[in-house]
């Protein structure tokens, strides 16, 4: 065990984690070039296309130091705030973390948040200044910022360039010297933390585990502590190699397959032990993040429902931050209420469902969860506006407030304060660190989760960074807007918004629906109501019955074209009784919130 090092690579988005990971693999000669591109880090198509890490990936490499050979298990983690659940899980499997900071860009919000996470778990943090090959790199200033803002010593930091390879050998030496080898005892009963899992079409469920005590071998009978279910280990090994090993020892990170095809019992975060000689205590669980907003997914083709359910189960196995439960809409039928950590998380899950499972979806507007105190004092938590009781029966609505930390160069501070105030933010602190400012605001989560991040990036030319966590529920003047199309309430279009914004938001929703709503053979009223009072209204004027009435004479091709256009339009729509509502209307609401 003395020659094992387990560490995560953490950083703000784009500071170079994946490039550094690839460089470490290449220098240690672990894999061929073909293997590097086909299976190592950022292996999902979506990751390559978007240039971001979505899933944490674990790899073992051998580093031949002067005297000994070391086994380095490291996990490349995502930098985007929407995937911080992956980071927390990865950190729980390690003794150390490399904190990568771009030497030109400096400290950013996720640098601080990820580093605090690692320190809270008592990990040894090794700061690494990356991209020092860049002409505008300023390692001295960035070091100062790290000491001032995060409060860790830069005495043992390493300067490197993941791109050119400069400083990587020095980094490997520091990893060996500074990151402790795993503790634990191979003679104690087995305790292994499940840090990830995924579904393989041929092999069933694969678990990634970190052995904290004892060892595990093929044919062992294992069980999840505090649960009755037992499994038999069929295969095991260490990533990225797919070939089998016979044992996984104390301190190692590896995969096991137990022939599980039923994926309903998710055990990421649980502790595995031996059935014959069980350990009594579970290992500490990692902090699970709560989803920031929920929305409904309905399959466009209702016959895809059970296939869709299976796809969600498989995705959740691989993404414990994804939450879902069955839901039903009078108009859209059976679907699922799903929870996400942010818009990017939603986009990724939606893309994976569409690409990997070929499911086309109707997506409703996202909403945060609210605490409702009714007139008779009962408290309920509601994450779907259509389930909100009548406003007359509600005494208070409490909304979630997030604590936000923004780090920005000084020159953008004016615009950023304006943005926070517009989004009902309350300033908590503002601290100058030479050329950077760290500013803290309490902002309602509903204002944050959708396009706040993009607007912050736009007004700061991409330089300001944001990190936020749930702080508390707070009573607010909120109201529910219901939408009626042709006098029928469309429950999936209901939304909750602040009293001061109701008229504005109601008008926007109605305008948006009008944009997508096709004309029918009769007038269709679209109304926004609060309780029973109409606060905004538009009418879709009736369609002329005969689309080719203007084509006098014999212009057949034009007539055909018009008729085909009408047919295409109709095909695109999903029919609901007498009025056709195109699926775009449900998703279009995302843009206005
Ligand atoms: P996420 O996983 O999405 O958070 O990003 P990341 O931190 O893994 O960053 P990634 O390795 O994808 O690098 C981001 C960009 O920086 C890429 O264009 C890299 O080529 C570039 N880059 C990484 N390291 C260096 C370096 O040492 N020098 C220079 N000049 N560019 C680098």
């Amino acid at each position: 065990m003395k020659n094992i090092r387990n560490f995560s690579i953490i950083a703000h988005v784009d500071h170079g984690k994946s490039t550094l990971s690839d460089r470490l693999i290449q220098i240690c000669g672990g894999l061929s070039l073909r293997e590097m591109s086909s299976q190592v880090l950022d292996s999902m198509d979506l990751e390559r296309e978007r240039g971001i890490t979505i899933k944490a990936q674990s790899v073992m490499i051998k580093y031949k130091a002067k005297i000994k050979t070391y086994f380095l298990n490291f996990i490349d983690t995502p930098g985007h705030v929407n995937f911080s659940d992956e980071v927390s899980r990865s950190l729980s499997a390690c003794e150390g973390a490399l904190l990568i900071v771009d030497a030109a860009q400096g400290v950013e919000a996720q640098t601080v948040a990820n580093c605090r996470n690692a320190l809270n778990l008592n990990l040894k943090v090794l700061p690494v200044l990356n991209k020092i090959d860049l002409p505008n790199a300023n390692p001295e200033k960035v070091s100062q910022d790290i000491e001032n803002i995060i409060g860790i010593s830069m005495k043992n930091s390493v300067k490197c360039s993941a791109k050119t390879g400069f400083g990587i050998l020095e980094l490997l030496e520091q990893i060996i010297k500074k990151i402790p080898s795993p503790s634990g005892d191979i003679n104690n009963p087995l305790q292994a933390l499940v840090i990830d899992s995924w579904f393989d079409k041929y092999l069933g469920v694969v678990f990634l585990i970190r052995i904290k005590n004892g060892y595990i071998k093929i044919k062992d009978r294992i069980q999840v502590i505090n649960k009755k279910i037992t499994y038999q280990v069929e295969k095991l090994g260490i990533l990225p190699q797919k070939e089998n090993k016979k044992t996984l020892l104390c301190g190692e990170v590896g995969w096991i397959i137990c022939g599980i095809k039923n994926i309903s019992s998710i055990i990421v975060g649980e502790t595995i032990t031996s059935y014959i000689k069980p350990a009594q205590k579970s290992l500490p669980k990692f902090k699970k993040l709560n989803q920031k907003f929920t929305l409904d997914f309905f399959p466009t083709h209702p016959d895809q429902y059970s296939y869709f359910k299976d796809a969600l189960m498989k995705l959740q196995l691989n993404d414990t931050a994804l939450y879902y439960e069955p839901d039903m809409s009078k108009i859209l039928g059976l679907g699922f209420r799903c929870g996400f950590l942010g818009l990017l998380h939603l986009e990724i899950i939606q893309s994976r469902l569409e690409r990997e499972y070929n499911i086309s979806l109707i997506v409703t507007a996202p909403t945060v969860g609210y605490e409702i105190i009714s007139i008779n004092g009962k408290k309920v938590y509601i994450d779907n506006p259509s389930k909100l009781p009548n406003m007359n029966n509600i005494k208070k609505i409490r909304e979630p407030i997030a604590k936000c930390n923004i780090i920005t160069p000084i020159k953008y501070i004016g615009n950023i304060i304006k943005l926070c105030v517009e989004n009902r933010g309350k300033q908590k602190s503002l601290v100058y660190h030479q050329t950077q400012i760290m500013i803290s605001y309490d902002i309602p989560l509903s204002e944050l989760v959708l396009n706040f991040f993009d607007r912050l990036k736009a007004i700061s030319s991409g330089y300001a960074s944001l990190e936020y966590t749930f702080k508390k529920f707070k009573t607010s003047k909120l109201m529910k807007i219901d939408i009626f199309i042709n006098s029928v309430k469309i429950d999936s279009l209901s939304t909750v918004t602040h009293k001061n914004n109701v008229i504005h938001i109601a008008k926007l929703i109605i305008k948006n629906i009008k944009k997508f709503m096709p004309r029918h053979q009769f007038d269709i009223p679209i109304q926004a109501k609060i309780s029973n009072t109409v606060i905004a209204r538009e009418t879709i004027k009736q369609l002329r019955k005969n689309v080719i009435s203007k084509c006098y004479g014999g212009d057949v091709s034009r007539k055909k074209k018009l008729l085909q256009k009408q047919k295409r339009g109709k095909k695109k729509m999903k029919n609901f009784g007498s009025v056709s509502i195109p699926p775009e209307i449900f998703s279009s609401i995302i843009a206005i919130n």
Side-chain angles (χ1 to χ4, degrees):
M1 261 183 359
K2 288 274 163 279
N3 58 350
I4 297 179
R5 299 290 181 275
N6 294 316
F7 57 94
S8 288
I9 306 189
I10 53 174
H12 190 83
V13 69
D14 274 353
H15 282 208
K17 292 175 298 295
S18 303
T19 312
L20 180 76
S21 307
D22 283 350
R23 183 67 63 207
L24 289 174
I25 295 170
Q26 192 203 25
I27 286 189
C28 292
L31 294 165
S32 68
L33 273 179
R34 195 187 57 79
E35 282 173 318
M36 289 262 306
S37 64
S38 69
Q39 52 173 241
V40 192
L41 317 157
D42 289 1
S43 54
M44 240 191 274
D45 282 351
L46 276 169
E47 293 183 314
R48 295 219 180 96
E49 276 169 33
R50 290 170 179 251
I52 53 165
T53 308
I54 296 166
K55 279 294 298 171
Q57 297 279 0
S58 130
V59 183
M60 196 271 282
I61 51 174
K62 280 185 209 162
Y63 169 55
K64 289 195 179 75
K66 282 179 201 116
I67 306 171
K68 272 206 272 183
T69 297
Y70 290 88
F71 296 91
L72 311 182
N73 290 304
F74 70 88
I75 309 181
D76 174 28
T77 64
H80 196 283
V81 60
N82 275 194
F83 307 115
S84 26
D85 205 45
E86 291 283 319
V87 184
S88 303
R89 270 190 285 146
S90 311
L91 290 173
S92 312
C94 301
E95 282 73 38
L98 304 189
L99 178 70
I100 315 296
V101 187
D102 182 326
Q105 203 76 17
V107 176
E108 302 203 56
Q110 261 339 88
T111 323
V112 183
N114 284 334
C115 183
R116 290 208 176 124
N117 247 338
L119 292 171
N120 286 342
L121 289 166
N122 291 325
L123 263 58
K124 173 77 194 172
V125 173
L126 184 60
V128 180
L129 294 171
N130 187 32
K131 305 198 190 181
I132 59 152
D133 59 296
L134 287 176
N136 58 339
N138 191 346
E140 283 69 37
K141 178 192 160 290
V142 173
S143 293
Q144 272 269 295
D145 279 350
I146 294 176
E147 290 197 338
N148 291 339
I149 301 176
I150 308 183
I152 53 171
S153 160
M154 291 298 284
K155 217 165 65 211
N156 297 316
S157 65
V158 178
K159 296 186 188 70
C160 73
S161 163
K163 191 171 179 183
T164 65
F166 174 87
I168 303 294
L169 284 175
E170 158 69 7
L171 175 61
L172 283 161
E173 284 299 314
Q174 288 295 332
I175 290 170
I176 302 304
K177 261 195 226 144
K178 297 285 162 15
I179 295 181
S181 56
S183 50
D185 189 339
I186 198 158
N187 298 312
N188 280 352
L190 172 69
Q191 276 180 311
L193 184 69
V194 183
I195 47 178
D196 200 1
S197 60
W198 57 93
F199 190 81
D200 183 291
K201 281 208 275 256
Y202 306 107
L203 304 166
V205 180
V206 187
F207 295 115
L208 186 70
I209 56 170
R210 159 70 205 270
I211 310 226
K212 297 272 183 164
N213 277 302
Y215 61 93
I216 202 165
K217 56 183 193 333
I218 291 181
K219 296 265 182 317
D220 275 358
R221 192 121 211 117
I222 55 168
Q223 62 177 359
V224 176
I225 290 193
N226 298 332
K227 286 200 179 154
K228 294 274 172 297
I229 322 155
T230 66
Y231 307 102
Q232 183 162 42
V233 180
E234 287 182 359
K235 289 183 177 148
L236 49 78
I238 288 182
L239 287 172
Q241 270 77 28
K242 295 232 163 84
E243 66 260 28
N244 305 339
K245 281 185 65 165
K246 291 209 167 55
T247 48
L248 284 178
L249 304 176
C250 183
E252 288 186 328
V253 175
W255 51 265
I256 58 168
I257 291 168
C258 307
I260 306 171
K261 299 279 184 210
N262 166 13
I263 47 176
S264 56
S265 55
I266 305 215
I267 58 168
V268 170
E270 305 275 0
T271 305
I272 283 177
T273 190
S274 152
Y275 175 66
I276 297 176
K277 190 182 153 198
Q280 296 310 314
K281 265 181 74 181
S282 289
L283 296 162
K285 285 199 175 176
F286 35 74
K287 201 172 100 199
K288 198 168 161 5
L289 296 176
N290 288 331
Q291 70 277 355
K292 303 281 193 316
F293 65 76
T294 60
L295 46 71
D296 278 326
F297 276 163
F298 295 98
T300 318
H301 306 289
D303 52 347
Q304 278 193 324
Y305 180 78
S306 51
Y307 176 63
F308 177 38
K309 184 176 171 193
D310 190 57
L312 277 174
M313 276 164 104
K314 285 180 183 154
L315 283 183
Q316 194 189 47
L317 190 69
N318 196 227
D319 177 359
T320 46
L322 169 67
Y323 147 94
Y324 68 88
E325 63 173 29
D327 202 3
M328 209 195 105
S329 147
K330 273 184 236 144
I331 294 191
L332 297 168
L334 288 175
F336 286 94
R337 189 86 195 156
C338 299
F340 301 93
L341 292 177
L343 265 196
L344 183 61
H345 189 205
L346 158 68
E347 272 174 42
I348 298 296
I349 294 293
Q350 193 179 344
S351 299
R352 290 188 70 184
L353 285 165
E354 285 168 354
R355 282 178 185 207
E356 294 171 29
Y357 299 93
N358 224 350
I359 298 172
S360 111
L361 295 164
I362 296 175
V363 184
T364 64
T367 171
V368 298
Y370 296 97
E371 261 185 18
I372 312 292
I373 318 286
S374 63
I375 298 283
N376 59 16
K378 225 174 105 193
K379 186 158 87 177
V380 277
Y381 177 83
I382 280 184
D383 66 0
N384 186 343
S386 67
K387 307 242 161 83
L388 217 64
N390 187 309
M391 291 306 276
N392 297 331
N393 295 330
I394 296 177
K395 189 167 155 200
K396 280 186 205 162
I397 304 184
R398 288 153 61 82
E399 67 174 332
I401 305 291
K403 176 179 186 294
C404 307
N405 291 322
I406 298 172
I407 297 183
T408 174
I410 290 171
K411 66 176 175 177
Y412 303 112
I413 192 68
N415 284 343
I416 292 176
I417 290 179
K418 193 161 162 261
L419 177 71
C420 293
V421 172
E422 276 169 13
N423 285 283
R424 301 190 281 133
K426 294 240 163 1
Q427 198 183 108
K428 291 290 152 185
S429 68
L430 188 150
V431 185
Y432 284 82
H433 296 285
Q434 295 182 355
T435 53
Q436 298 273 75
I437 290 188
M438 186 155 167
I439 180 167
S440 270
Y441 264 88
D442 280 359
I443 302 181
L445 196 59
S446 60
E447 307 284 347
L448 265 188
V449 287
L450 295 173
N451 58 9
F452 184 92
F453 186 67
D454 291 342
R455 287 174 64 199
L456 179 73
K457 285 279 161 197
I459 59 173
S460 65
S461 311
Y463 282 106
S465 56
L466 162 78
E467 173 266 321
Y468 59 89
T469 47
F470 168 78
K471 185 172 174 183
K472 59 178 179 184
F473 279 101
K474 187 172 166 247
T475 305
S476 245
K477 292 188 174 123
L478 298 168
M479 307 193 108
K480 177 187 167 203
I481 305 173
D482 287 319
I483 303 296
F484 289 73
I485 298 182
N486 203 28
S487 307
V488 177
K489 186 165 130 188
I490 312 295
D491 47 6
S492 299
L493 289 175
S494 296
T495 188
V496 172
T497 192
H498 192 262
K499 193 174 165 222
N500 296 349
N501 298 336
V502 276
I503 302 287
H504 173 67
I505 294 285
K507 282 189 175 158
L508 274 178
I509 295 177
I510 298 286
K511 221 169 103 194
N512 233 8
I513 293 177
K514 195 175 175 194
K515 213 161 53 191
F516 289 101
M517 191 74 195
R519 291 163 74 189
H520 284 58
Q521 310 292 347
F522 45 87
D523 278 359
I524 302 173
I526 308 170
Q527 298 160 306
K529 293 189 189 176
I530 286 192
S531 297
N532 271 329
T533 314
V534 177
I535 53 164
R537 180 195 162 112
E538 289 273 358
T539 304
I540 312 275
K541 286 284 170 207
Q542 64 164 296
L543 187 71
R544 294 171 71 101
K545 279 186 189 125
N546 186 357
V547 285
I548 55 168
S549 61
K550 277 191 182 163
C551 299
Y552 302 113
D555 187 354
V556 179
S557 65
R558 171 140 176 77
K559 281 182 188 168
K560 268 194 187 157
K561 218 166 152 188
L562 282 169
L563 286 168
Q564 289 225 322
K565 195 172 160 201
Q566 191 184 33
K567 203 168 142 199
R568 271 205 310 275
K570 281 188 178 161
K571 212 171 160 192
K572 254 198 220 155
M573 294 184 278
K574 207 175 152 59
N575 289 308
F576 304 98
S578 58
V579 177
S580 309
I581 303 178
E584 292 82 1
I585 283 187
F586 297 95
S587 333
S588 73
I589 308 294
I590 294 181
I592 59 162
N593 271 266

